[in-house]
Amino acid sequence: GSSIGDRSAGGGKTKKVKRKVKPDEAPVQEMGQAEGEETEKKSVSGPCFPPTFSVSEIKNKQRRHAMFLKLKEEKRKQKLELKKKKKKERKALGDQAPPKEVPKTIENQRIYDETTVNPEDEEVAFDEGTDEFSAYFSRLTNPKVLITTSDRPRGRTVRFCEQLATVIPHAHVYYRRGLALKRVIPQCVSRGFTYVMVINEDRKVPNGLVLCHLPDGPTAHFKVSNVRLRKEMKRRGKDPTEHVPEVILNNFTTRLGHSIGRLFAALFPHDPQFVGRQVATFHNQRDFIFFRFHRYIFKNEKKVGIQELGPRFTLKLRSLQKGTFDSKFGEYEWVHKRHEMDSSRRKFHL
């Protein structure tokens, strides 16, 4: 009786009888554990999925990511093996090897544009001889550029204007002071300017450029992006000198592209000073115009390096207007339509 009372007083705890394990039983249990571990390892290292299995079906995020990386690595290895195999075959065949396949790019898949210019076309030559830039290309006028901004510009836009003035010779930076562009243009014409360049900004960042050729136009409006000033560039050279740079215009192939190319060319004086070794590049690719400013560095008689001076930016044409700037009654030659019916990634305009 006393023993039962003692048990109840101790919280109803009963002693567990420890079962002694015989020495010959232990290895069997360990072997069972080892087998279980092996099967687990197999399942982790080499999962056997059905052929229609997709990685996205794995619910666990970490396992899904690990599986994706593994499949990606396998694909890379397969691709590398195939490349090595093809290289061996080409080596074995020697001169009889088939020609290499040209990789598909957006540029070489471009839809042919009917307005692509043939340099020897008489009609194009006549148009260029009578357009608004003919006086410049006939060496009758020298460029003189006025660079200004939208009202109350912030520091970054002001610095961008100042750096553009060091790239374009005979450029002068003036501040708007609230003047309308329609009032600015007649003053510029009377003072012999051939261009007005207006840098617009949004939230302290330059985002637009209006380039107006004087006195008869045309006026181009560009979206500006990816502006990098000199201080923000790595491995840039010393500030540019006052020498007249060379101008390179790349890939302006259509009639519209030609007009824009001539618009940029007429910003710079006729005779570049090669002593300065400076070059301004307008490179058109998929209707984005990339501007870069470099200096040549002659290392020896055969090797030449280039050093970027900055600034750099990207332009995208929004509209081309006949005559000088007139937002209300201006006649537009071309306007960028965002949602065209025939819009395609392979159709370009410049």
Side-chain angles (χ1 to χ4, degrees), residues 205-268:
V205 177
N207 74 330
L209 185 145
V210 175
L211 192 57
C212 180
H213 182 254
L214 303 176
D216 304 316
T219 303
H221 176 233
F222 298 93
K223 176 190 166 190
V224 179
S225 58
N226 302 336
V227 176
R228 296 278 289 278
L229 302 178
R230 287 191 185 122
K231 271 194 174 180
E232 297 159 12
M233 293 172 63
K234 292 178 183 175
R235 296 189 295 277
R236 67 180 177 90
K238 289 179 181 176
D239 287 352
T241 55
E242 290 183 2
H243 294 95
V244 176
E246 297 172 62
V247 182
I248 295 174
L249 299 161
N250 275 343
N251 296 344
F252 292 94
T253 51
T254 63
R255 292 297 289 265
L256 178 67
H258 248 233
S259 300
I260 297 301
R262 286 167 73 82
L263 185 75
F264 288 136
L267 276 170
F268 295 85

Side-chain angles (χ1 to χ4, degrees), residues 297-316:
I297 297 170
F298 294 102
K299 293 175 181 176
N300 53 41
E301 288 180 4
K302 291 181 181 178
K303 276 192 175 182
V304 179
I306 55 170
Q307 185 180 46
E308 194 169 351
L309 305 178
R312 62 158 69 169
F313 53 91
T314 307
L315 300 173
K316 182 103 163 70

Side-chain angles (χ1 to χ4, degrees), residues 78-197:
Q78 285 173 5
K79 204 174 177 183
L80 207 68
E81 281 173 15
L82 192 73
K83 206 174 181 182
K84 281 180 181 177
K85 192 181 172 186
K86 276 189 177 179
K87 202 175 181 182
K88 271 187 179 180
E89 285 174 4
R90 286 185 70 82
K91 211 173 184 182
L93 288 166
D95 297 334
Q96 295 174 351
K100 280 187 178 180
E101 290 178 12
V102 178
K104 284 185 179 180
T105 62
I106 293 178
E107 274 85 20
N108 64 25
Q109 296 296 302
R110 175 178 179 164
I111 296 166
Y112 179 75
D113 196 318
E114 307 84 51
T115 64
T116 302
V117 171
N118 179 4
E120 295 170 8
D121 194 335
E122 289 179 10
E123 189 185 336
V124 174
F126 175 76
D127 285 354
E128 287 181 356
T130 54
D131 71 358
E132 299 93 337
F133 307 107
S134 55
Y136 165 81
F137 286 101
S138 307
R139 292 175 177 258
L140 299 173
T141 59
N142 285 316
K144 188 180 175 186
V145 184
L146 179 131
I147 300 173
T148 186
T149 59
S150 51
D151 285 339
R152 288 188 288 279
R154 298 305 177 100
R156 198 154 186 270
T157 308
V158 172
R159 285 198 301 276
F160 180 48
C161 291
E162 285 167 355
Q163 289 183 18
L164 275 176
T166 62
V167 171
I168 303 166
H170 315 307
H172 307 268
V173 180
Y174 288 98
Y175 299 108
R176 278 280 278 281
R177 298 189 186 88
L179 271 175
L181 204 56
K182 276 193 170 183
R183 287 181 64 190
V184 171
I185 287 167
Q187 289 182 25
C188 290
V189 172
S190 64
R191 292 176 192 183
F193 283 98
T194 60
Y195 271 100
V196 172
M197 186 186 285

